[in-house]
Amino acid sequence: MKSKIVILFMKLTMVFLFSSVCFAYTPKGELQVRLPDHDAKITFQEIDENKILVSALDAENNPVKGLIPDDFKLQRAGIMANVTAVEVLKTRKDIAINYVLMLDNSLSMKERKAVQPLLSALDEFLEIVRPIDNVKAVVFDDKKKFLVDGHNLRLNTFESNNIVELKNFFQDSFTKEMSKKTFLYEGILGSLHLISKMPEKSNKFLVVFTDGEDLNSEIKKEIIGPKAQGLKNFSAYTIDFMQSEAKDEFLNTFSEANGGKTWKATSATNLLPIFKKFSTTLLHQYVVEYNFIKPTQGSITANPSTITIEELTIIDSSPLLSYVFFDTGQSRIPERYKLLKNQAEADTFDEKILRDTIAKYHNVLNIIGKRFSENTEASIELVGCISDRGEEKNNLALSRTRAEEVRAYFRYIWNIDPDRIKISARKLPELPSTSSVEEGRLENQRVEIHSDSSQIFDSIKTTYSFEVADFNEINIHPDIQLGYDLKDWNIEIKGDGKLLKSIKGQGNDIPDYSFILFQYGLSKIGTIDNISISATMTDITGESFTTNSAQTSIKYIKREELKAEKLEYKVIEKYALILFDYDSSTIKAQNTIVIDRVVKRIKELPKAKVTIVGHTDIIGKEDYNVLLSERRAKAVYQNVIDSVISSPERIVFRGAGPYNPPYDNATTEGRSFNRTVTITIEYETN
């Protein structure tokens, strides 16, 4: 028997635990109701845990009509609720309302000929009473005693939801049983007592009608306010039929303090319109249903779904810029140049390990030093130059000191016989940059290296492999439907299950994100088969939600694989014809060697595509520089075409001017390198 009880208890426990996960999350605190897009006075009563009755009045105290769920904003303790339904009260058949009508049936009503207008107005009100509603009527009766809080109140009460019975009670109260005196305060106190006996969660409305000032009650009006305090789901409305023009201060204060309003009736003819207006106000309250169960949902997408990474061979022929630029007024070689410490380091120097053009240039003294030491028949002339402006004006000593600094480096690091190095000094270079702008003046502060051997200044050739991808980034798009506000979120990018990157943030804004492959490294990405992306969000309730996992597959084609499959792989050869002089499109003699080399390669590769692009620095007007770059590109193009190239249509040229510069125009060497024509030969080979 005991085992059966234990099993039953365990089953009940499991049912409770299972059902508990379906319970609504209800934050603690006072519920707040707003209509952000409407200038309205809002009052509301709670029907049950997830349902309220809302009154929305405009500036003229007319009900705001036509509201929908999106108009309402409900929150508790800063947590937004999910409004699931909004319906006008008059269309609901399941929400019962308790009405308490306190009616002044004193003889003064007969004297003011207001009895029949009031009864007609009450008939209008009873039209809104439904079978599920309950009406309690309170009238004056100096013959009866209604005990409340130790006070014998002179009141008669009646309760029903039958319209006929209510009409009969009103008829008798205003014809056969009229009161000689007004007991307004006693009537309100008795009405509040009836309301206090109603269920707390039920919706309760008190309507007070009076046609005269209270001079007869045995209680003071000061006890009315405290009696109303603490009543839940209660609103009070008053109709002032007193003969004064202004609203009665007590009635007005009482109604406003309890979420209602006061109507002023100045004549009996006002009663029917006022009761119609009052009925409309009640009928156009809104039953608003809501909950705090709106979990965050959503998904995440990643594009593209597949990325192909291919190993690419680059044959890069970079020009040798044989200038060393100096800072203003200085003769010391700037730190951006790579200077070796001793002859032992010089012995191990190899220009072939240098990758990009600027890195090669910063080793210009080592490249020339190496070639000069190996070519024992060659001689060099170092020409020191100045900008001939400011502190460098007429300073030939500075020109010479700069040249001597370069000679000293060749002598002591590269062990070059000083007799093979000639030094001269001049002001501006023989072919200077413009002195009208600061950039040009800085370029004139240099040492030019000249030689009788063309081999000294030959291009710097390197061959290396690197990866290229058909897409350079993965675009990540979170599509999130928010429930509660988010506390924080985290997007995780994983490669074969290993975390590559985590993007974290707070709040509801989860932006799109681009995962840049180059930032992680294409060679590393190439070792991954699959990249997965997911987002995890935690809302302010502490609940977490994780999206689906978006997938991008990686296909990495190595050269070994290409060879094994006898496929072709891509090769790009890059040549740069450097050192067009400032504002010049004339091809210098040392560049003809490069052109001859390029022509030979084009002839060897009859299917290769050849692109010739002219560039300029940023000095001068843009339109002029574009035309200058076109002249430079065309001069090279014509040299190539004149060499009897097959299929000349595969060779194109254009001028880029100062746009998309290959090098940084902020530096003197960058501007010098940008006065160039680049030639790219692209082909496939196996």
Side-chain angles (χ1 to χ4, degrees):
M1 182 67 182
K2 287 184 178 180
S3 62
K4 291 183 178 179
I5 294 175
V6 171
I7 293 173
L8 177 61
F9 175 76
M10 292 177 65
K11 288 183 177 180
L12 290 173
T13 302
M14 291 177 67
V15 169
F16 173 77
L17 290 173
F18 178 79
S19 61
S20 67
V21 301
C22 300
F23 290 167
Y25 170 80
T26 304
K28 296 180 180 180
E30 183 179 350
L31 183 68
Q32 296 179 332
V33 181
R34 297 183 296 115
L35 292 171
D37 298 329
H38 298 271
D39 185 13
K41 175 186 176 184
I42 304 295
T43 57
F44 68 92
Q45 299 180 12
E46 293 188 10
I47 298 173
D48 57 35
E49 186 175 359
N50 298 108
K51 194 181 299 178
I52 57 175
L53 185 63
V54 179
S55 171
L57 303 177
D58 62 18
E60 284 72 39
N61 285 315
N62 296 316
V64 179
K65 299 181 180 180
L67 297 177
I68 60 175
D70 286 345
D71 293 320
F72 287 87
K73 300 296 180 187
L74 278 63
Q75 68 179 46
R76 178 178 277 132
I79 299 175
M80 297 300 299
N82 176 34
V83 179
T84 58
V86 171
E87 190 174 351
V88 179
L89 175 62
K90 68 178 181 179
T91 65
R92 295 295 292 254
K93 306 300 183 184
D94 60 333
I95 308 298
I97 302 296
N98 292 293
Y99 299 101
V100 177
L101 302 181
M102 198 237 81
L103 303 173
D104 184 344
N105 62 333
S106 61
L107 285 172
S108 57
M109 287 288 292
K110 184 181 292 186
E111 296 171 358
R112 298 177 67 182
K113 298 180 180 181
V115 172
Q116 194 54 47
L118 177 61
L119 291 175
S120 298
L122 289 171
D123 288 345
E124 180 71 25
F125 166 74
L126 291 176
E127 290 295 322
I128 73 170
V129 177
R130 303 160 299 168
I132 62 173
D133 297 333
N134 183 56
V135 179
K136 293 179 184 286
V138 179
V139 295
F140 305 150
D141 190 334
D142 49 12
K143 298 176 183 179
K144 293 191 176 183
K145 303 297 182 182
F146 184 62
L147 185 63
V148 175
D149 298 337
H151 301 287
N152 286 314
L153 307 180
R154 286 158 287 185
L155 303 173
N156 185 22
T157 64
F158 180 77
E159 178 179 353
S160 178
N161 60 359
N162 185 288
I163 303 301
V164 175
E165 292 178 357
L166 288 168
K167 287 184 177 181
N168 291 336
F169 177 78
F170 294 152
Q171 183 71 28
D172 291 344
S173 297
F174 282 90
T175 54
K176 301 175 183 179
E177 301 174 3
M178 296 193 74
S179 172
K180 295 180 181 180
K181 297 180 181 180
T182 298
F183 308 107
L184 176 62
Y185 304 146
E186 292 183 20
I188 296 178
L189 181 62
S191 299
L192 292 175
H193 176 73
L194 293 175
I195 290 171
S196 68
K197 299 301 181 181
M198 297 176 182
E200 184 178 274
K201 290 188 176 181
S202 66
N203 298 96
K204 302 169 278 286
F205 295 94
L206 170 61
V207 181
V208 176
F209 169 82
T210 181
D211 86 321
E213 187 177 355
D214 188 345
L215 301 175
N216 306 293
S217 290
E218 294 182 357
I219 63 171
K220 301 296 182 182
K221 61 183 178 182
E222 285 75 18
I223 72 172
I224 302 297
K227 184 68 176 179
Q229 290 180 356
L231 293 176
K232 302 294 185 180
N233 296 332
F234 161 67
S235 297
Y237 297 87
T238 60
I239 301 171
D240 177 4
F241 188 44
M242 299 182 193
Q243 295 185 359
S244 61
E245 292 292 331
K247 291 181 181 180
D248 181 74
E249 182 178 351
F250 166 73
L251 292 178
N252 197 50
T253 301
F254 173 71
S255 61
E256 289 189 352
N258 293 285
K261 63 167 293 186
T262 297
W263 283 272
K264 180 67 180 179
T266 56
S267 68
T269 58
N270 295 145
L271 296 179
L272 182 58
I274 287 176
F275 268 84
K276 284 185 176 180
K277 205 167 189 179
F278 166 71
S279 301
T280 300
T281 300
L282 291 182
L283 283 172
H284 278 87
Q285 295 181 101
Y286 294 92
V287 178
V288 179
E289 298 181 48
Y290 66 96
N291 59 46
F292 286 92
I293 306 177
K294 188 183 177 185
T296 298
Q297 298 179 356
S299 61
I300 196 165
T301 57
N303 287 304
S305 59
T306 302
I307 292 176
T308 300
I309 299 175
E310 182 179 353
E311 196 174 33
L312 179 68
T313 297
I314 293 290
I315 300 173
D316 188 358
S317 177
S318 300
L320 183 67
L321 175 61
S322 55
Y323 295 162
V324 179
F325 297 101
F326 288 80
D327 297 332
T328 302
Q330 302 296 314
S331 60
R332 182 178 180 181
I333 299 173
E335 293 182 357
R336 65 181 181 275
Y337 292 95
K338 177 65 176 178
L339 302 180
L340 305 179
K341 297 178 181 179
N342 49 54
Q343 292 182 13
E345 287 188 358
D347 291 339
T348 61
F349 175 77
D350 185 0
E351 66 182 52
K352 293 180 180 179
I353 66 173
L354 304 174
R355 292 286 289 265
D356 64 86
T357 299
I358 295 301
K360 294 173 183 176
Y361 169 71
H362 287 154
N363 278 274
V364 61
L365 293 176
N366 299 318
I367 294 170
I368 293 177
K370 180 81 169 181
R371 294 177 178 181
F372 195 26
S373 65
E374 293 174 347
N375 191 342
T376 57
E377 300 300 323
S379 62
I380 282 180
E381 180 182 7
L382 305 178
V383 182
C385 305
I386 55 175
S387 63
D388 204 26
R389 290 290 187 97
E391 61 182 296
E392 295 197 1
K393 184 70 174 178
N394 296 323
N395 195 347
L396 285 174
L398 178 60
S399 296
R400 179 169 293 278
T401 304
R402 286 172 173 170
E404 290 173 346
E405 184 82 4
V406 174
R407 182 174 64 176
Y409 185 77
F410 286 146
R411 179 179 179 182
Y412 295 110
I413 299 300
W414 287 100
N415 197 27
I416 306 297
D417 186 346
D419 292 337
R420 297 173 58 195
I421 305 173
K422 179 183 177 182
I423 285 182
S424 62
R426 57 180 300 147
K427 296 179 181 178
L428 291 175
E430 182 179 356
L431 297 173
S433 297
T434 179
S435 295
S436 61
V437 295
E438 177 67 15
E439 291 85 354
R441 293 193 288 271
L442 290 173
E443 292 174 19
N444 291 331
Q445 299 168 184
R446 68 198 190 207
V447 169
E448 297 181 351
I449 305 173
H450 303 286
S451 176
D452 55 359
S453 172
S454 60
Q455 296 178 1
I456 299 295
F457 303 114
D458 197 3
S459 300
I460 310 161
K461 294 175 287 293
T462 53
T463 299
Y464 53 91
S465 297
F466 72 105
E467 291 76 22
V468 293
D470 53 353
F471 294 94
N472 294 325
E473 61 189 21
I474 300 175
N475 295 310
I476 301 168
H477 173 63
D479 183 14
I480 307 301
Q481 294 81 52
L482 292 174
Y484 302 118
D485 287 341
L486 296 181
K487 179 182 179 182
D488 51 51
W489 49 266
N490 181 25
I491 297 175
E492 288 190 340
I493 304 171
K494 295 181 178 180
D496 294 339
K498 183 179 179 181
L499 185 65
L500 301 180
K501 190 173 183 64
S502 177
I503 306 103
K504 298 181 179 181
Q506 296 180 331
N508 295 333
D509 185 18
I510 307 179
D512 291 350
Y513 180 79
S514 293
F515 178 57
I516 309 300
L517 302 182
F518 288 106
Q519 291 180 353
Y520 189 79
L522 284 181
S523 59
K524 293 182 180 179
I525 295 293
T527 64
I528 296 170
D529 292 325
N530 184 70
I531 292 178
S532 60
I533 301 143
S534 63
T536 299
M537 291 141 283
T538 303
D539 63 30
I540 54 178
T541 71
E543 293 295 320
S544 294
F545 168 75
T546 301
T547 67
N548 62 301
S549 181
Q551 307 290 324
T552 296
S553 60
I554 305 298
K555 182 180 180 182
Y556 184 52
I557 305 176
K558 294 184 179 180
R559 184 173 295 111
E560 290 80 359
E561 295 174 2
L562 285 165
K563 289 180 179 179
E565 299 175 23
K566 296 185 179 180
L567 299 176
E568 295 180 334
Y569 61 87
K570 187 179 294 184
V571 177
I572 295 177
E573 298 186 14
K574 297 168 61 178
Y575 300 88
L577 297 173
I578 188 61
L579 296 187
F580 284 92
D581 291 321
Y582 176 77
D583 194 21
S584 172
S585 60
T586 301
I587 299 176
K588 300 176 73 172
Q590 67 189 56
N591 287 324
T592 59
I593 299 174
V594 179
I595 292 178
D596 292 342
R597 186 179 299 140
V598 171
V599 168
K600 180 180 178 182
R601 289 297 291 154
I602 295 174
K603 289 180 178 180
E604 292 171 349
L605 302 165
K607 294 184 179 181
K609 296 180 181 179
V610 182
T611 304
I612 301 171
V613 182
H615 300 275
T616 68
D617 57 28
I618 57 171
I619 300 174
K621 295 182 178 180
E622 293 179 359
D623 292 344
Y624 178 84
N625 283 336
V626 170
L627 295 176
L628 176 60
S629 69
E630 290 176 354
R631 292 198 302 271
R632 288 172 174 171
K634 187 174 182 179
V636 175
Y637 170 80
Q638 198 61 51
N639 269 267
V640 174
I641 294 299
D642 290 344
S643 300
V644 192
I645 298 295
S646 63
S647 304
E649 67 277 0
R650 62 194 173 102
I651 304 172
V652 296
F653 77 93
R654 59 185 173 86
Y659 306 112
N660 298 318
Y663 309 104
D664 186 3
N665 272 303
T667 65
T668 51
E669 57 267 30
R671 290 190 296 275
S672 296
F673 275 108
N674 283 332
R675 298 169 194 148
T676 185
V677 167
T678 59
I679 303 175
T680 303
I681 304 175
E682 185 174 339
Y683 57 94
E684 293 181 343
T685 181
N686 53 14

